[in-house]
Amino acid sequence: MYCSVVDPEHTSVNGRKRSQRPQRTHQEVADELRARIRSGVLRSGERMPTQAQLADEFGVERGAVRQALRILQSEQLLTNVSKGSPATVASDLARALTGPQAPPLPTTVGLAPRIATAFAAEHVEIDAVCLTSISLTLAIGEPLRQIHAGRLKPAKVDVRVLLPSRDIDLAFPVPVGGRGDDWVHERWLAMRNAQGQVLQHNLLALRATHGIDVHVTFRALPFTPPVKLYLLNGSEALFAYYTLTRREAEIDHEQREMYDARGTQSMLFSFRQGPGLRDTTFVEQSHLWFNALWETISSELVLTSS
């Protein structure tokens, strides 16, 4: 059980601490409420707090709250949005979260609930192509908590991850000044190895703690993937672009510039097998693409720096 101490003078709706930040935008309010719905803090069929309560919690005008609620209504996450009464969380959240009308979301918001849903299966199969596996490691934390709490109990978990090889010249991240300095590569390699080791350790620990048959395998790609892809139980594909930006990092107490992609913020698009031919074909082709890479040009990957 997870618990925390909250100052009662600053407790807000749903037990959250009242924001001390400057006034938020309606989009930020929508993002926070969306995250609560997706994480289960606000459940299907539950009535939302009143607009007055939300305005007080977020420190915004009621007009901003109404705009935020309308955004979530357009995403089919809320119903009964009006001035007179509190809105209601949609009763069919599964369709709103994964159906053809589901909006793309940042990876940190969209991936964890989809991974948790995948872990409800008897045999969990997750394939991933990514740069460091940071997002996957973070997202796996949610089903792990549910397994330890006794709410999930898969019999078998198979995870395969494709990551760039340590031996290639990465397309990104790279120093702004060019490839003459290898500090960016060393930084990326350390992160790739550390995240992979944490992911592997946390999953394999389920063997001892819960008797789950777990297999985690990594292989190395001879190129830098321009996109990230997660394939869940053979029926769902989550896809996002790595978008490069110029940013600074502190190395040896010195600010250095590099071109990099913040994968945790990449917008994640969801495709599911079903009656829709477009989504079904995308999922099928994504599996073919992943398996072809796995079985042909990828190589053994060892998560060490030596």
Side-chain angles (χ1 to χ4, degrees), residues 94 97-98 110-119 232 236 238 270 272:
L97 296 175
T98 64
L111 185 57
R114 301 311 314 139
I115 295 286
T117 299
F119 266 77
L232 311 181
E236 185 171 8
L238 302 168
S270 175
R272 287 185 61 84

Side-chain angles (χ1 to χ4, degrees), residues 248-260:
E248 289 187 343
E250 184 174 330
I251 304 296
D252 296 329
H253 308 291
E254 180 183 351
Q255 293 298 317
R256 313 281 287 274
E257 286 193 316
M258 62 180 171
Y259 294 116
D260 196 9

Side-chain angles (χ1 to χ4, degrees), residues 62-130:
R62 290 195 193 184
V65 170
R66 283 195 291 273
Q67 285 181 280
L69 296 179
R70 289 190 189 110
I71 289 174
L72 300 184
Q73 183 179 43
S74 72
E75 296 173 2
Q76 302 180 48
L77 295 176
L78 294 180
T79 60
N80 303 325
V81 174
S82 66
K83 292 184 179 181
S85 60
T88 304
V89 180
S91 57
D92 190 3
L93 276 181
R95 178 177 177 81
L97 296 175
T98 64
Q101 302 304 315
L105 294 166
T107 301
T108 48
V109 177
L111 185 57
R114 301 311 314 139
I115 295 286
T117 299
F119 266 77
E122 184 78 5
H123 182 190
V124 181
E125 295 179 279
I126 298 176
D127 295 333
V129 181
C130 43

